[in-house]
Amino acid sequence: MTGQTPALRLEGIVKTFPGVRALDGVSFSVMPGEVHALMGENGAGKSTLMKVLGGIYQPDAGQILIEEAPTVMASPLEAKAKGVVFIHQELSLADELSVAENVYLGELPRKSFGRVDWDRLYADTERILDRLKVGFTPQTLVGDLSIANKQMVEIARALTVDAKAVIFDEPTASLTDAEKDVLFEVIADLKARNVGIIYISHRMEEIFRITDRVSVLRDGQHTGTAITADTNEEAVTQMMIGRKLDLSRNVAHHELGDVALEVRNLSCGHLYKDVSFKIRRGEVVGFYGLVGAGRTEIAETLFGLRDPSAGQILLDGQALRITSPTDAIERGISLVPEDRKGQGLVLGMNCRDNMTLPQVDDLKAGPFVAEGAEVAIFDQYRDRLDIRTPGWKQLVGNLSGGNQQKIVIGKWLSMHPNVLIVDEPTRGIDVGSKSEIHNLIRDLAAQGYAVIVISSEMPEVLHVADRIYALFQGRITREFTSEDVTEDSLVRAISGLADNGGAQVA
Amino acid sequence: MQAGTLSTFLKRGAIWGFILFELIFFSVAGAFLSLSDKAFMDLDNMLRLFKQSAPIGIIAMGMTIIMINGNIDLSVGATFALCAIVLLDSLTWPIFAGLGDWVIPVSWALALLTGVLLGAINGLIVWKTGVDAFIVTLGSMLGYRGLVFMYNGEQPTSHLNWTLVDFAETQFLGLHTATWFLLAVTLVIWFLMTRTIHGRNAYAIGDNREAAVNAGIRVGPHMMINFMIIGFLAALSAVVFYSESGSVNPNDGELYELWIITAVVLGGTKLTGGAGSVISTFGGVLAIQLLRKGLGHIGADTSTVNLVIGLILIAVLYLDRQLNRKGAEELKI
Ligand SMILES: Nc1ncnc2c1ncn2[C@@H]1O[C@H](COP(=O)(O)OP(=O)(O)OP(=O)(O)O)[C@@H](O)[C@H]1O
Ligand SMILES: [Mg+2]
């Protein structure tokens, strides 16, 4: 690759926010036709670097060069015009508009009198959607799509222009394996067209599957670049967190208590049907299935966000109706939601207040909120979860994606619930903190909490769960214990395929 | 049938169903309660209703864009009054004395230009300062109204131009001039919002401003153009109305902003922006006018009318929420 001119080069980029030096002289380059991984812990500065490149932030110092020509990216539009396309970590779509309008947002094809050229818009979008092999039409309302499909719309945007470089910021966080395969085909296709690709992800297996080189950021500094084929997970992790990580499986068994929560023949419209399961105190139960298998909807029912159409919920052996989240919280059920930006956080509020939001009522000193107690809770979970923020006063909207996730988790942990439901707890979380969160879940169980972990990452459920329920199209298809589970049978169970062995759930 | 089609249909159709309900109710109730012996659904009565809807209706079209955009404009009533003064006063300016009836287009142009300018001021402040449109236009509502009073104190400004009055009272194909203006404006704004890039961008900005910025839409200038459009429409509304009446009181147009916002919301435009329809706003305008007229028809006084409209607004917003939820599968709050 030497001798070639890079498609894109960044030199000595510095970017500071009040209280944070997010980027501290980062240099980085992508060759045409190269897939370059950008890795680093939550808050290392990956998204910030890409936003500088995409014209969203202006660097305090440093230079951007496109094919070795110095450039200024004054706005996202300018970046796009110069061939740099940015696919955002957090979805950036307008729900009330059609897929086509979102794909061409900001550059709708024009006819006379400023009219939209609908025919061309739909035809062009159709062509891109065909390439992505998605099952929806250009006319579909984006608000009606699942999170995964929304992500595909976001990806479709990258294919609208003749890009020199495409930035993918954690594109697979909410994709199923099949959708991931399609994405990787798209990336291979772009690569074949000599586009330079920057790929940000916390998932090692993806990095080693599709990338050519890996660059690592740590605390806003570039700690190294390696050729992917010449390195391994351990080495990359060490570059990221500066130490070795113990990734051994840690299901330390302890005595289980009584059944904390039992669900009998629960159904909710066509979302899920006839779901029955139990969970004991001290147990971690995994709900494993593809996106859309009904896992999240079951959790939302338990948390009082949906009314079931049939079935029973028993808490400590008592049948009851959970009518609202307030009700659920009072009974000791907590949910860490899947969509942190939409459901878990008040982005315009500071870190501390977000974390103590569900319990401000209990933290009163006379008629006032007990600020000291709030800060104490925040400090405790910041240390425990290693949340990177200059202080509790920082607005949550200014944290990196992974650190936002940690705030949500801290929020519910600090409530000491009896039953804790975590939906995709480590989506977008770096490897170091991931194992920290896994340990935390195990600790909670050891202390007698019942924990439900919803996940679409197999290593995760295998790693933390004592028992695993496999879901397929709204039904529980199999139940596994940590002894009898195998990767193969799990995959079969969540794809609706028959299998021998393991306990079949009627 | 796709999921949600029924609720969408109900939502879109709701305002027209409501209008139908009003017509039937007032016809029946009117037969028993009305002091006059004329039927409520009399053709003349209905034509007048359209005409009376025009001043608020024309501005409501602009408010629909502003609200879809995620903003609000509280200054339209004051803009309306100020443009009316410019119109009526400029008709008598000595420098235009030699123009004869040609002073009419000149005065119209001056009034419309004033509207555009006042709108541009709002838009520019919202764009450049980033202050919420609610606050900005609350300020300009007071400011513009202040200008109205500075102009002539508590006195009305009057001038009747008979050519203008004739023009305003013409009925073409049975419809009054004002009605034609309302229909034309509705059509143009409908075209703008559904067919043009500017209109589609308005939806995108109201729906997800960050996404719009990221996509390179120039949000500030875009919003300023919309404020200029609503300013223009407030002026147009004044021009049409005062051509006929010929006299403007300094209090004229007060509370217009509230009636207009009520009509737009009744028509189903989201208060938070991103969704709404010009045609439904048209329905909302008719519904309110029908209500005012109908309640008057059965002998209710103004305060009762206001109370009823307030209650209906709340009921409609509640119903809208219910229709938006797709039964048990929808998340509760
Ligand atoms: N607008 C902002 N204002 C203040 N601080 C910010 C802002 N944007 C980012 N930061 C800070 O800059 C640092 C780097 O954030 P960045 O989003 O680049 O991290 P990241 O590497 O993408 O992390 P993740 O893996 O969690 O997405 C973080 O400490 C973050 O809190
Ligand atoms: Mg990030």
Side-chain angles (χ1 to χ4, degrees):
Chain A
M1 240 171 274
T2 40
Q4 237 179 326
T5 39
L8 205 77
R9 201 154 67 82
L10 292 166
E11 224 181 69
I13 302 286
V14 175
K15 177 76 194 171
T16 51
F17 296 110
V20 195
R21 199 171 176 83
L23 296 173
D24 192 5
V26 176
S27 300
F28 175 84
S29 68
V30 206
M31 295 295 166
E34 174 195 36
V35 182
H36 196 141
L38 188 57
M39 299 202 70
E41 288 181 285
N42 297 129
K46 304 178 296 292
S47 296
T48 308
L49 184 65
M50 292 304 112
K51 284 181 183 166
V52 166
L53 188 51
I56 296 167
Y57 293 152
Q58 296 308 311
D60 301 338
Q63 227 181 7
I64 302 171
L65 303 99
I66 296 183
E67 285 164 352
E68 293 300 289
T71 350
V72 176
M73 302 287 197
S75 70
L77 196 62
E78 200 176 318
K80 202 165 180 183
K82 287 174 177 162
V84 177
V85 183
F86 193 164
I87 295 165
H88 290 269
Q89 178 171 15
E90 307 292 347
L91 291 170
S92 181
L93 300 170
D95 279 348
E96 302 273 354
L97 299 187
S98 68
V99 167
E101 286 175 285
N102 269 286
V103 169
Y104 282 92
L105 194 65
E107 42 193 11
L108 297 171
R110 183 181 290 268
K111 280 203 292 199
S112 53
F113 304 111
R115 282 177 304 160
V116 179
D117 189 343
W118 293 105
D119 293 340
R120 213 177 102 206
L121 175 66
Y122 288 142
D124 287 354
T125 310
E126 186 89 61
R127 229 173 317 113
I128 294 171
L129 295 184
D130 280 349
R131 256 172 90 185
L132 291 172
K133 302 190 183 71
V134 292
F136 51 84
T137 62
Q139 289 87 350
T140 316
L141 220 58
V142 164
D144 292 339
L145 297 178
S146 65
I147 294 192
N149 278 334
K150 285 183 184 178
Q151 185 73 58
M152 296 311 265
V153 174
E154 192 87 48
I155 290 166
R157 281 181 174 169
L159 306 180
T160 60
V161 288
D162 246 345
K164 288 197 175 66
V166 181
I167 302 160
F168 291 92
D169 196 351
E170 299 194 40
T172 54
S174 50
L175 296 190
T176 64
D177 284 339
E179 286 161 334
K180 234 183 269 179
D181 288 342
V182 173
L183 172 68
F184 292 161
E185 273 173 44
V186 171
I187 289 178
D189 180 45
L190 288 170
K191 192 176 147 116
R193 292 168 194 230
N194 251 345
V195 177
I197 290 148
I198 303 172
Y199 190 85
I200 300 179
S201 174
H202 291 293
R203 299 193 174 162
M204 289 287 183
E205 75 275 10
E206 292 170 8
I207 302 298
F208 285 93
R209 181 166 156 197
I210 65 163
T211 70
D212 303 307
R213 284 195 295 169
V214 196
S215 285
V216 175
L217 290 185
R218 187 160 86 219
D219 296 331
Q221 288 179 332
H222 183 197
T223 52
T225 297
I227 293 178
T228 313
D230 298 347
T231 182
N232 57 33
E233 273 188 39
E234 219 173 306
V236 174
T237 308
Q238 189 149 10
M239 268 204 280
M240 275 170 61
I241 63 178
R243 63 190 152 91
K244 280 200 177 155
L245 200 66
D246 178 21
L247 283 171
S248 63
R249 181 165 172 172
N250 68 28
V251 184
H253 281 284
H254 46 259
E255 283 300 302
L256 297 186
D258 300 333
V259 173
L261 176 77
E262 183 174 356
V263 163
R264 288 188 192 148
N265 304 100
L266 203 66
S267 301
C268 180
H270 63 267
L271 295 171
Y272 59 84
K273 287 203 181 63
D274 239 353
V275 168
S276 304
F277 60 88
K278 279 181 206 179
I279 172 162
R280 292 167 175 278
R281 292 187 186 285
E283 191 176 33
V284 179
V285 167
F287 275 38
Y288 183 60
L290 300 173
V291 177
R295 307 164 306 169
T296 298
E297 289 74 12
I298 295 173
E300 283 169 351
T301 311
L302 295 177
F303 194 55
L305 283 164
R306 289 175 193 278
D307 288 325
S309 50
Q312 260 190 322
I313 300 171
L314 293 88
L315 202 63
D316 293 321
Q318 299 225 345
L320 54 91
R321 283 193 59 214
I322 301 166
T323 53
S324 67
T326 323
D327 199 20
I329 292 170
E330 258 167 31
R331 294 172 194 275
I333 301 178
S334 289
L335 171 69
V336 179
E338 166 183 40
D339 168 12
R340 55 178 170 259
K341 206 168 182 177
Q343 296 166 9
L345 291 170
V346 186
L347 293 176
M349 223 152 93
N350 69 39
C351 295
R352 180 200 68 188
D353 292 351
N354 260 290
M355 194 172 294
T356 55
L357 191 58
Q359 49 180 331
V360 272
D361 274 352
D362 304 332
L363 290 176
K364 271 187 271 193
F368 304 108
V369 172
E371 302 230 342
E374 287 196 293
V375 175
I377 290 178
F378 173 75
D379 284 344
Q380 182 189 348
Y381 286 92
R382 181 189 57 191
D383 295 346
R384 221 163 148 189
L385 296 172
D386 188 24
I387 299 171
R388 303 281 169 87
T389 158
W392 62 261
K393 287 185 181 150
Q394 181 70 280
L395 297 185
V396 163
N398 289 341
L399 294 191
S400 79
N403 283 308
Q404 291 182 1
Q405 178 79 335
K406 291 181 187 174
I407 296 267
V408 185
I409 293 183
K411 172 166 98 173
W412 294 111
L413 289 184
S414 69
M415 298 283 295
H416 304 297
N418 292 323
V419 179
L420 176 69
I421 309 168
V422 284
D423 197 351
E424 302 284 5
T426 60
R427 170 180 299 165
I429 289 205
D430 64 59
V431 279
S433 315
K434 202 169 186 165
S435 69
E436 194 54 45
I437 287 174
H438 290 165
N439 290 340
L440 214 88
I441 289 174
R442 293 303 314 173
D443 283 354
L444 286 172
Q447 288 166 34
Y449 297 119
V451 188
I452 298 177
V453 177
I454 300 174
S455 178
S456 32
E457 279 188 65
M458 184 165 341
E460 180 158 285
V461 281
L462 289 176
H463 192 64
V464 298
D466 299 305
R467 268 184 314 125
I468 299 169
Y469 289 102
L471 282 95
F472 172 66
Q473 293 186 348
R475 289 174 190 277
I476 292 183
T477 50
R478 287 275 299 275
E479 178 188 343
F480 299 92
T481 64
S482 56
E483 285 85 35
D484 65 22
V485 64
T486 64
E487 294 198 7
D488 178 61
S489 53
L490 250 185
V491 170
R492 291 176 146 275
I494 62 154
S495 334
L497 300 173
D499 191 301
N500 318 315
Q504 197 84 32
V505 175
Chain B
M1 198 151 98
Q2 254 184 324
T5 312
L6 179 68
S7 67
T8 314
F9 172 77
L10 281 175
K11 251 173 66 194
R12 296 251 168 85
I15 190 68
W16 304 105
F18 183 56
I19 289 174
L20 197 69
F21 168 77
E22 283 181 327
L23 285 173
I24 295 170
F25 177 81
F26 288 124
S27 300
V28 175
F32 296 105
L33 295 171
S34 175
L35 310 171
S36 89
D37 46 5
K38 266 173 103 184
F40 182 63
M41 279 232 270
D42 174 73
L43 178 69
D44 267 350
N45 209 11
M46 289 299 117
L47 286 178
R48 245 195 328 277
L49 180 121
F50 273 112
K51 182 182 171 185
Q52 288 161 350
S53 305
I56 281 184
I58 290 173
I59 309 177
M61 295 308 146
M63 192 67 87
T64 309
I65 315 181
I66 293 281
M67 287 176 68
I68 285 174
N69 221 191
N71 290 322
I72 202 149
D73 187 349
L74 299 176
S75 71
V76 283
T79 305
F80 174 82
L82 200 54
C83 295
I85 288 181
V86 170
L87 171 80
L88 294 184
D89 203 52
S90 66
L91 284 170
T92 64
W93 286 351
I95 42 162
F96 298 148
L99 290 176
D101 268 350
W102 284 104
V103 71
I104 294 173
V106 174
S107 295
W108 274 49
L110 277 176
L112 294 174
L113 208 67
T114 309
V116 173
L117 191 78
L118 296 178
I121 293 173
N122 282 335
L124 200 68
I125 296 176
V126 169
W127 170 15
K128 291 298 179 189
T129 65
V131 176
D132 199 83
F134 184 90
I135 305 296
V136 170
T137 58
L138 187 68
S140 59
M141 171 176 94
L142 299 173
Y144 296 168
R145 182 64 68 182
L147 290 179
V148 171
F149 275 98
M150 274 161 72
Y151 203 83
N152 230 352
E154 306 281 336
Q155 303 304 314
T157 308
S158 308
H159 177 77
L160 265 187
N161 178 313
W162 291 106
T163 317
L164 265 181
V165 174
D166 283 345
F167 169 69
E169 284 182 346
T170 316
Q171 276 173 280
F172 179 64
L173 297 177
L175 301 177
H176 296 93
T177 307
T179 309
W180 281 110
F181 269 94
L182 173 59
L183 292 177
V185 166
T186 306
L187 192 73
V188 169
I189 303 296
W190 170 80
F191 180 84
L192 178 77
M193 293 310 280
T194 56
R195 297 297 147 95
T196 71
I197 293 175
H198 181 84
R200 300 317 293 170
N201 285 350
Y203 281 95
I205 291 170
D207 191 330
N208 187 341
R209 193 183 286 198
E210 196 182 326
V213 173
N214 284 345
I217 296 175
R218 301 196 57 210
V219 173
H222 176 101
M223 295 198 305
M224 180 161 147
I225 290 174
N226 289 339
F227 276 104
M228 288 162 75
I229 292 176
I230 195 173
F232 175 85
L233 291 176
L236 185 68
S237 172
V239 154
V240 172
F241 185 73
Y242 289 101
S243 290
E244 183 170 4
S245 95
S247 176
V248 49
N249 276 309
N251 289 324
D252 280 8
E254 259 179 13
L255 293 189
Y256 263 34
E257 56 282 341
L258 297 187
W259 288 111
I260 290 163
I261 293 167
T262 307
V264 174
V265 171
L266 270 183
T269 296
K270 258 204 204 163
L271 276 167
T272 47
S277 135
V278 168
I279 304 297
S280 299
T281 294
F282 186 74
V285 169
L286 289 187
I288 285 194
Q289 198 57 34
L290 258 176
L291 205 62
R292 295 168 87 169
K293 241 183 134 62
L295 287 170
H297 184 69
I298 60 173
D301 55 20
T302 324
S303 43
T304 319
V305 174
N306 289 351
L307 179 66
V308 171
I309 293 187
L311 290 175
I312 287 182
L313 183 66
I314 294 170
V316 165
L317 287 179
Y318 174 74
L319 260 177
D320 179 59
R321 276 204 59 79
Q322 296 303 316
L323 288 174
N324 268 318
R325 291 169 48 172
K326 296 164 202 154
E329 288 168 22
E330 192 69 9
L331 276 183
K332 297 192 292 182
I333 53 161

